[in-house]
Amino acid sequence: MIKAVLFDMDGVLAFTEGFYNRRRIRFLQERGVPVDPDFDGTGSNDGEIWERLVPGDAALRERLHREYRAYSDEHPTPWLEVANPQVRPVFSALKEDGLMVAICSSSYRSLIEEFVDTVGVRGLVDFIISGDECSAYKPDPDIYLRAMARLGIEPHEALVVEDSPLGIEAGVAAGALTCALMPPSGVELDQSRAHLRVQRLVDVTHLVQTAALHGIA
């Protein structure tokens, strides 16, 4: 029986990737750093993205990354614009059914906290963990294993909701039933490793009730 649903944030609870891509490109262009205007970091973690954006020169990459953190504070994420509108009703429905809810994201904790407070779901979330607090980023399963341990559940009692190949791999490696939220039109992601796919976040509430039928929970 599923006892907790563990959500990724970017691409699942909030459609941030397009905004982040544009902000990174604008930042580098303003500093005269050559960058592909069509660069897309969707599905990658922060370290991998910056290695792709500024290859070869580690010192320059580190400096620009530090400056970008300050730039991001000056150009904050418009959470109310990018939030998945189904987050609050889905979280509410899960809590009403007696399930625990966790957010397990590779984003910085400060961003996760901003999102939770801005969309008003603080009281509906049992646990938050950032990739920065783990031994390795996704696809390593550590972030999900830590969340399960903190919530006091076994892998077969968890449903992981992801969108990216790295996140899906992390959920599968953690031993959880792993569901992929299909990406918006125009975004291509390999979700073939997911046990299940859904078109809408609200469909997750139905999966919790039928998970045992798939031979995993």
Side-chain angles (χ1 to χ4, degrees), residues 32-55:
V33 178
V35 60
D36 179 356
D38 297 321
F39 175 86
D40 188 354
T42 301
S44 300
N45 63 57
D46 197 51
E48 179 181 308
I49 287 170
W50 281 89
E51 285 185 10
R52 290 168 56 196
L53 284 170
V54 190

Side-chain angles (χ1 to χ4, degrees), residues 100-138:
M100 293 179 285
V101 171
I103 299 177
C104 308
S105 170
S106 295
S107 287
Y108 296 114
R109 171 172 280 273
S110 60
L111 293 178
I112 307 171
E113 301 281 358
E114 277 182 19
F115 168 78
V116 167
D117 288 333
T118 304
V119 301
V121 294
R122 172 70 64 178
L124 301 174
V125 178
D126 297 282
F127 182 62
I128 292 171
I129 184 169
S130 163
D132 275 351
E133 301 163 13
C134 301
S135 61
Y137 284 103
K138 303 170 185 178

Side-chain angles (χ1 to χ4, degrees), residues 86 90 159 179 181 197-208 210:
Q86 297 180 358
V90 168
L159 172 65
C179 169
L181 178 65
R197 297 176 77 199
V198 295
Q199 288 187 323
R200 305 173 304 160
L201 193 65
V202 70
D203 295 332
V204 170
T205 58
H206 307 305
L207 286 183
V208 171
T210 61

